[in-house]
Amino acid sequence: MHRPIVATFVFTDLHMDNGHKTPPSKAPTLYSWRWDKSDLNYYHDCSRVSLGNVTVPSHLVSCVSHCCGQDHSHLINQYYGSIIDALQQAASAAVVRIPVSSLKPYWNEHLDQLKRDSMFWHSLWQSAGRPRSGTLYHIQRSCKAKFKSGIRDAYLNYESRYDDVLVDNILRKKPNEFWKAWSSKFRKNINQNIKFKDCVSDSEVANKFAEKFSSVFYNSATDSSAVSEFLQAYESYRTSSENVYDNVYDYAAMFSVEVIDNCVRGLSLGKACGPDSLSAEHLRYAHPSIMVHLKLLFYFIVTHRVVPDQFGYGIIVPLMKDKSADLNDIDNYRPITLIPILSKVFESVMLTLCEDLLQTSNLQFGFKKGVGCTNAIFAFKTTVGHFVNNGSCVYAAALDVSKAFNRVNHFKLFRTLVNSRIPLAFIDVLCHWSGKLCCVVR
């Protein structure tokens, strides 16, 4: 026996599906320059032509030190943009550019040949009507099997190559290289299954990172005492006899082509591009006339004590701190900033010219080339061992200064540079540069 049932349903905010679905937002495609697949001689010739078309603001050469011409800053910006455009134009014509996602670290030329053979015989097999027997069928199957087998072998060789590297670095006592190889072998895949709370799209994730990183921003200008102390030290240095580098001809001699060329050759290759989409390879493989343009650009910057607007642009890329920790925790990420390549060269040139004036303590192990945690641990253990062996007690205190570097007061830093007797033009450039800094999160 069936009993009738009456039910009443009340629906609110009901949206009917009309069959049209909003496509998910697609992340912008990132590209990589493949210098190993490009004709470097052709790029050299293309850069010679494009750089030859760059117009040099020649009347800026006659400017005196600390020139304040109203339109000169605009001309420096224009000259910088012309150099960037020339390098990009040459690279677009001569250098292979492919999506980053298509790169396989284990890929080699042997796999390229196997792929070409497999595609050729597969196309021939298709044009013959896809036969299921015969010589053509067996050749097509054989080439396909060799290609797949080659991929497996190349991947295994790539994964196992770190085994010998780890052992070699231990034997050679290279701890930094050992841990780099260790991280490369055992790191997690951070591109999958990462979800932050209340974030759905990539833009929301980027905004969350931007909010996180901006929370550590420190406005140095709010410290009036630090500003006052810097201005007093600056004025005292400017009027003293120690200010020996305030002549335009001194700066012209300092920025030599040789110094700039050495700094360009000291840049690491294979690094990510900054906001200008240029890398160290664009300068290393370009025509030598690029060094003349850089010499003139840097000379204009120092004599006018301003930097191009693009020098202050940066792209923040979040990097994971601890691969074994929670990957969904935003506090487990630290920011690195990708900056324009020419600003990196200019920074390296200034550091080279002021290297003798920037002396540090022998007990400093951070932010110095050739030393690190290993040296600090050795010094600590040696010191503790000395006092313990002589019957003394040792008390140690550890300070957490993990966020101190991000909150450095710029005016106190500039005052330290004044006390080190850095040329005033460099200090003025750094002050102007710090006022133009701005970043976006990728």
Side-chain angles (χ1 to χ4, degrees):
M1 182 177 179
H2 300 282
R3 296 177 180 270
I5 299 178
V6 178
T8 302
F9 300 94
V10 178
F11 298 99
T12 59
D13 297 333
L14 181 62
H15 298 279
M16 301 298 294
D17 186 5
N18 56 6
H20 299 285
K21 295 183 179 180
T22 303
S25 59
K26 191 175 182 180
T29 303
L30 301 179
Y31 291 89
S32 174
W33 300 99
R34 290 301 303 269
W35 297 93
D36 55 331
K37 303 293 184 182
S38 305
D39 187 349
L40 300 184
N41 292 327
Y42 183 46
Y43 172 71
H44 184 276
D45 293 338
C46 290
S47 63
R48 175 182 60 82
V49 175
S50 59
L51 290 171
N53 295 327
V54 174
T55 302
V56 179
S58 55
H59 62 283
L60 296 184
V61 178
S62 59
C63 293
V64 298
S65 180
H66 209 169
C67 175
C68 300
Q70 294 182 355
D71 62 332
H72 290 188
S73 178
H74 172 70
L75 291 175
I76 293 175
N77 275 321
Q78 201 172 47
Y79 184 41
Y80 170 84
S82 299
I83 297 175
I84 297 299
D85 291 341
L87 293 174
Q88 290 178 344
Q89 181 181 356
S92 299
V95 183
V96 178
R97 200 180 187 198
I98 62 175
V100 174
S101 58
S102 64
L103 295 176
K104 300 294 187 294
Y106 55 82
W107 201 266
N108 52 46
E109 295 182 358
H110 179 61
L111 291 179
D112 281 334
Q113 183 61 43
L114 292 177
K115 182 179 180 180
R116 285 192 293 268
D117 293 342
S118 179
M119 292 177 64
F120 171 78
W121 288 105
H122 181 78
S123 177
L124 199 62
W125 173 72
Q126 276 187 324
S127 61
R130 300 174 179 263
R132 295 297 177 179
S133 61
T135 304
L136 188 59
Y137 170 75
H138 290 295
I139 294 177
Q140 183 266 345
R141 296 279 295 179
S142 176
C143 290
K144 183 178 181 180
K146 288 181 180 179
F147 179 48
K148 289 186 175 182
S149 176
I151 292 178
R152 287 193 297 268
D153 294 341
Y155 179 77
L156 292 176
N157 291 334
Y158 174 78
E159 288 295 317
S160 62
R161 83 189 193 281
Y162 288 110
D163 297 340
D164 295 334
V165 174
L166 291 172
V167 175
D168 183 67
N169 288 329
I170 285 293
L171 295 177
R172 295 176 179 270
K173 297 181 179 179
K174 295 182 177 180
N176 293 335
E177 299 300 325
F178 170 82
W179 289 115
K180 286 181 181 179
W182 179 278
S183 298
S184 298
K185 182 176 177 63
F186 296 106
R187 67 172 180 262
K188 294 181 180 179
N189 185 358
I190 63 173
N191 294 322
Q192 297 179 356
N193 300 325
I194 297 180
K195 295 181 179 179
F196 296 109
K197 185 179 179 181
D198 301 328
C199 293
V200 179
S201 62
D202 293 339
S203 60
E204 292 179 350
V205 174
N207 290 332
K208 194 173 186 67
F209 273 117
E211 181 181 355
K212 169 64 179 178
F213 297 148
S214 61
S215 63
V216 300
F217 170 74
Y218 176 71
N219 188 359
S220 303
T222 58
D223 191 346
S224 57
S225 61
V227 175
S228 176
E229 291 174 0
F230 162 69
L231 294 177
Q232 292 177 4
Y234 179 92
E235 186 63 23
S236 175
Y237 177 36
R238 188 184 66 83
T239 57
S240 69
S241 59
E242 296 178 288
N243 181 21
V244 296
Y245 290 106
D246 205 17
N247 189 297
V248 64
Y249 299 104
D250 295 330
Y251 297 127
M254 292 170 68
F255 287 96
S256 64
V257 171
E258 181 181 3
V259 171
I260 297 174
D261 183 67
N262 290 335
C263 291
V264 169
R265 295 185 181 278
L267 296 175
S268 300
L269 302 180
K271 298 298 183 179
C273 298
D276 52 5
S277 299
L278 299 179
S279 62
E281 286 85 351
H282 288 81
L283 303 179
R284 179 80 67 88
Y285 303 135
H287 189 267
S289 60
I290 183 62
M291 301 303 166
V292 179
H293 284 294
L294 293 183
K295 170 184 170 62
L296 292 174
L297 176 64
F298 296 164
Y299 172 71
F300 296 155
I301 289 175
V302 173
T303 53
H304 294 80
R305 309 196 181 190
V306 297
V307 297
D309 294 338
Q310 291 85 349
F311 265 37
Y313 297 169
I315 298 177
I316 296 179
V317 180
L319 287 186
M320 186 170 48
K321 295 179 181 178
D322 186 1
K323 299 179 179 65
S324 61
D326 184 11
L327 303 185
N328 298 321
D329 183 8
I330 198 171
D331 293 327
N332 191 32
Y333 293 83
R334 62 181 179 87
I336 64 166
T337 306
L338 305 178
I339 61 176
I341 189 63
L342 295 193
S343 69
K344 192 179 297 186
V345 177
F346 180 68
E347 184 179 314
S348 178
V349 171
M350 283 201 302
L351 185 60
T352 301
L353 297 177
C354 301
E355 189 173 10
D356 295 336
L357 300 174
L358 299 174
Q359 300 296 328
T360 58
S361 171
N362 293 329
L363 297 179
Q364 177 181 336
F365 302 104
F367 305 103
K368 292 177 65 175
K369 187 177 181 179
V371 295
C373 292
T374 304
N375 306 83
I377 293 174
F378 174 79
F380 176 76
K381 292 181 65 176
T382 303
T383 304
V384 172
H386 170 77
F387 287 102
V388 171
N389 293 335
N390 287 278
S392 300
C393 296
V394 177
Y395 301 93
L399 300 178
D400 182 10
V401 293
S402 58
K403 296 183 179 179
F405 186 76
N406 295 328
R407 301 181 66 85
V408 170
N409 188 300
H410 289 171
F411 290 98
K412 291 184 179 180
L413 179 62
F414 298 150
R415 189 187 62 179
T416 302
L417 296 179
V418 170
N419 296 336
S420 299
R421 293 311 184 238
I422 300 298
L424 280 180
F426 291 174
I427 298 177
D428 289 337
V429 167
L430 291 174
C431 291
H432 183 262
W433 196 348
S434 65
K436 288 191 172 183
L437 298 179
C438 60
C439 298
V440 296
V441 177
R442 185 176 70 187

